[in-house]
Amino acid sequence: MTRPDDVTPLPLAETARLLVLTGAGISAESGLATFRGGGGLWEAEPVEEVATPAAFARDPARVWRFYSQRRAAANAVRPNAAHFALAEAERRMGERFLLVTQNVDGLHAAAGSERLVELHGSLWRARCSRCGRPPFPDRRYPVEPPLPSCDRCAADGRGVAYLRPAVVWFGEPLDAGDQYRVTGFLSRGRLEHAPLLFLAVGTSGTVYPAAAYVRYAAELGATTWLANLERPDNAWAFDHVVEGAATQVVPRLLGLDGF
Ligand SMILES: NC(=O)c1ccc[n+]([C@@H]2O[C@H](COP(=O)([O-])OP(=O)(O)OC[C@H]3O[C@@H](n4cnc5c(N)ncnc54)[C@H](O)[C@@H]3O)[C@@H](O)[C@H]2O)c1
Ligand SMILES: [Zn+2]
């Protein structure tokens, strides 16, 4: 275990590839509640009432109220030094870098990250609850009926189909294309015999398949780091664990302290 003051930068030599996985902890210092723990998001609203397809079918207005609150909370905060350091690392490393987040708050994109996989979707997109049109940008704050509905379904004579937040709810599958980008990035490093590095930041490691990425990366020969405020259950799976706040640890690990 390493303390933040003892952190040395990752060996990001010329050919090294870096996959970064972030969770709710990286946005905590921006002011957004994490998943578990004191003041955790799910304490106020039971998950089954607001973040499942069944909940949306039962009471779409309640689900939209919850997500409108989350949109308002995310809109009120700014990316922090950890988000900005990751965006800068991407600018320096180009295609040798990939950022995968479980967060839906949009802060990585706001910090300038572009090589970004939003595994659990984004608060800032909506999709139709009925037809298969792709998700699209949406920054409204619905709280009561009439809720936003799909203009394509209406035009096709399919009646009123509510729009829903384009986030992955409990019990829903992840996008196969997103997962392929992650596994493809890791296996290409192996093909090229490039040093592979894996860094997880601010994630409790309990939500799959993201929690399995560290093992997959290790099987492909990656050296693995975890930067987290406290030691999570799956800390044993990492070669290096740094206990500390993301804004302190991430810039140091990336060799960007005070850039
Ligand atoms: N900001 C968001 O978008 C957001 C917020 C809450 C939950 N979620 C969703 O909830 C699920 C939760 O899984 P998870 O693993 O991302 O979150 P989690 O809440 O389960 O774990 C967060 C981890 O971050 C650590 N942490 C807290 N503050 C930190 C800091 N300043 N620096 C470093 N680490 C810190 C905690 O110790 C904890 O282990 C995800 O699927 C995610 O989609 C997203
Ligand atoms: Zn539709």
Side-chain angles (χ1 to χ4, degrees), residues 21-25 34-36 42 47 51 100-104 119-121 168-174 179 198 200 202-215 232-234 238:
L21 169 70
T22 64
T34 58
F35 187 61
R36 292 166 194 83
W42 311 105
V47 160
V100 184
T101 188
Q102 302 169 86
N103 296 344
V104 295
L119 265 193
H120 293 166
V168 178
W169 283 332
F170 289 87
E172 293 187 316
L174 300 188
Q179 300 216 65
F198 178 89
T203 175
S204 59
T206 44
V207 181
Y208 282 81
Y213 288 156
V214 59
R215 257 168 281 163
D233 291 345
N234 71 335
F238 291 83

Side-chain angles (χ1 to χ4, degrees), residues 128-133 150-154 158 161 163:
C128 178
S129 60
R130 189 178 296 163
C131 73
R133 67 189 280 195
C150 177
D151 47 8
R152 291 207 196 156
C153 281
R158 279 180 293 206
L163 298 182

Side-chain angles (χ1 to χ4, degrees), residues 102-152:
Q102 302 169 86
N103 296 344
V104 295
D105 54 36
L107 290 179
H108 283 304
S113 288
E114 290 176 1
R115 294 174 195 274
L116 172 65
V117 176
E118 293 178 311
L119 265 193
H120 293 166
S122 170
L123 285 177
W124 302 111
R125 290 191 291 273
R127 66 178 174 90
C128 178
S129 60
R130 189 178 296 163
C131 73
R133 67 189 280 195
F136 51 90
D138 180 58
R139 299 189 73 91
R140 288 171 286 182
Y141 297 83
V143 287
E144 58 188 30
L147 299 172
S149 59
C150 177
D151 47 8
R152 291 207 196 156

